[in-house]
């Protein structure tokens, strides 16, 4: 899967779990959805989403009604069978009822988009004798005159059997004082030997003290039962004929029913996407042909949600990246990884056919998204962390001639700084020569040499002056409070790196988090000494 690592890296599942179609067909479509790499398909999807957003915003009551009918639609067992049983016919009838209601409720611009129209009125009438509009189905006598006649005969035969049985029981009671009302047999004492001689009953020993007594039914009663059995066989045959007739009608409209199913899936998935667009104030992505990416107030929704729950400020991403190879620098905890995850999240949304949480998101259609971070794992065993990283890097670079987004979070961080910087420099130079890959590489190194074709950006980092004014007069001991303070003064914004002096946020953050003052003093002294060398 070309985006499996990107899904994990960006916590895409958090959003995807909120994508909730109502029908079984919509849910199945959700499960098989894939990363879309066709420009025209994506543009058509965005146009469709826009239609449904307008429908939800202007006709909310009708939109809710459509969602209700989608939720009431059941999955058909199959249309690929010769004969349908009553359970199949019930599901088909329900599908027709709800599709008809949906078609009547949707606005004309949506219906015209894929020719939504209920064309099976005659079939629905055939499945609903006597204008039965309920979501039930049974083989009523209204389906066939022959079935009606046979069932009438069965009712009459039941009456005859009941009368005969009543007469038999009354005769036994008056002659033998045995009451079989509501009983198939009775247990009587063995001492009543006179019962053995009666032709009105049948007897057999139950145990040493009791015997079992049953009515002895005469031939006219037995013949009445046999007549009913013949009638029941006739009824079964006539029901079969009704099912065959209805099955023929369904097969005649099989193609139309399959189209209804496709329409239900399409309506359901697009309603669900539009609902999310309205809920999160999402906007249409802009797909271009060049390899640069621009973002205005882009939000990584899962992190925004976490910040909201924790009472922390969330800073959306705004950046205009001017080349297809970007080096992003900044101190740890300065927001580099969040920026990379935000870009990955926005790209996944765009290519899964969703609108995006950004005022503007201009990108291109990639064939894949490659992630190289400390969470990336290969299928190999026995390699060190660095070895595994290089193995994955080789696999990704082998795809450099296919349009792809390449996200690298702190390359070679598990080896020594000198070699790591050399590897980063060489990889950036190699990536800058690719006409297909759009690459973003983050690093905490502050003096990577300039490379033709590579644009440097940096995180603004901590607002040191404001933070020092605050921290001088305020002491925070609780770790959650310290995080809130750091969040309040950290500028999670990106800017072009034009060679201005870097900020040293790590020591300030370490101080805030309570690192020993003597260690901090030694660290600052080390930096001062390096500056004078």
């Amino acid at each position: 899967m070309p985006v499996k690592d990107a899904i994990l890296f960006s916590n895409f599942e958090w959003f995807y779990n909120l994508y909730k179609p109502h029908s079984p067909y919509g849910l199945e479509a959700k499960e098989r959805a894939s990363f879309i790499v066709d420009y025209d398909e994506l543009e058509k999807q965005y146009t469709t989403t826009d239609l449904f957003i307008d429908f939800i915003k202007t006709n909310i009551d009708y939109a809710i009604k459509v969602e209700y009918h989608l939720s009431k639609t059941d999955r058909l067992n199959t249309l690929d069978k010769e004969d349908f049983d009553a359970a199949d016919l019930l599901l088909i009838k329900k599908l027709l009822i709800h599709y008809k209601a949906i078609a009547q409720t949707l606005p004309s611009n949506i219906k015209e988009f894929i020719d939504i129209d209920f064309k099976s009125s005659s079939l629905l009438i055939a499945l609903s004798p006597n204008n039965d509009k309920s979501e039930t189905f049974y083989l009523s006598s209204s389906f066939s005159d022959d079935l009606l006649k046979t069932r009438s005969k069965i009712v009459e035969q039941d009456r005859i059997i009941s009368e005969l049985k009543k007469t038999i029981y009354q005769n036994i009671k008056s002659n033998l004082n045995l009451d079989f009302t509501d009983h198939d047999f009775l247990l009587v004492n063995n001492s009543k030997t006179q019962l053995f001689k009666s032709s009105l009953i049948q007897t057999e020993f139950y145990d040493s003290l009791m015997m079992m007594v049953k009515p002895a039914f005469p031939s006219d009663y037995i013949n009445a039962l046999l007549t009913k059995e013949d009638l029941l066989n006739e009824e079964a045959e006539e029901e079969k004929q009704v099912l065959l007739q209805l099955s023929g009608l369904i097969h005649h409209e099989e193609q139309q029913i399959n189209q209804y199913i496709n329409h239900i899936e399409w309506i359901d998935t697009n309603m669900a996407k539009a609902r999310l667009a309205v809920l999160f104030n999402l906007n249409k992505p802009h797909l271009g042909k060049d390899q640069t990416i621009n973002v205005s107030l882009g939000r990584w929704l899962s992190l925004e949600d976490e910040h909201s729950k924790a009472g922390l400020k969330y800073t959306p991403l705004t950046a205009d990246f001017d080349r297809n190879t970007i080096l992003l620098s900044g101190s740890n905890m300065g927001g580099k990884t969040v920026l990379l995850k935000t870009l990955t999240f926005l790209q996944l949304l765009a290519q899964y056919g969703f609108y995006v949480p950004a005022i503007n998101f201009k990108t291109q259609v990639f064939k894949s998204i490659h992630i190289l971070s400390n969470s990336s794992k290969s299928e190999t065993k026995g390699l060190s962390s660095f070895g595994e990283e290089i193995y994955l890097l080789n696999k990704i670079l082998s795809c450099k001639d296919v349009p792809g987004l390449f996200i690298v979070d702190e390359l070679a961080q598990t080896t020594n700084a000198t070699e790591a910087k050399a590897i980063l420099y060489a990889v950036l130079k190699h990536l800058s020569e690719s006409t297909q890959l759009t690459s973003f590489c983050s690093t905490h190194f502050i003096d990577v040499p300039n490379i033709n074709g590579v644009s440097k950006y940096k995180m603004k980092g901590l607002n040191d002056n404001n933070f020092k004014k605050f921290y001088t007069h305020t002491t925070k001991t609780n770790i959650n409070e310290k995080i809130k303070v750091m969040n309040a003064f950290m500028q999670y914004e990106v800017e072009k790196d034009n060679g201005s002096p870097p900020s040293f946020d790590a020591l300030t953050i370490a101080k805030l988090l309570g690192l020993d003052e003597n260690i901090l003093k030694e660290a600052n002294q080390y930096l001062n000494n390096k500056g004078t060398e």
Side-chain angles (χ1 to χ4, degrees), residues 81-92:
K81 60 192 303 187
E82 185 175 348
D83 302 325
F84 298 101
D85 58 26
D88 296 323
L89 297 176
L90 169 61
L91 295 175
I92 292 169

Side-chain angles (χ1 to χ4, degrees), residues 58-121:
T58 57
N59 297 282
I60 184 63
D61 291 338
Y62 281 6
I64 291 172
K65 185 177 180 181
V66 168
E67 289 172 330
Y68 166 78
H69 288 291
L70 290 169
S71 70
K72 300 296 287 185
T73 302
D74 293 324
R75 192 185 190 285
L76 301 187
N77 294 326
T78 180
L79 290 174
D80 188 22
K81 60 192 303 187
E82 185 175 348
D83 302 325
F84 298 101
D85 58 26
D88 296 323
L89 297 176
L90 169 61
L91 295 175
I92 292 169
K93 179 184 176 182
K94 287 183 66 176
L95 183 139
L96 296 178
I97 288 172
H98 292 295
Y99 180 84
K100 179 181 179 182
I102 290 169
Q104 290 173 339
T105 307
L106 286 172
S108 58
N109 61 340
I110 290 179
K111 290 193 288 187
E112 291 167 1
F113 196 75
I114 59 166
D115 190 27
I116 294 172
D117 187 20
F118 184 68
K119 302 174 182 178
S120 302
S121 295

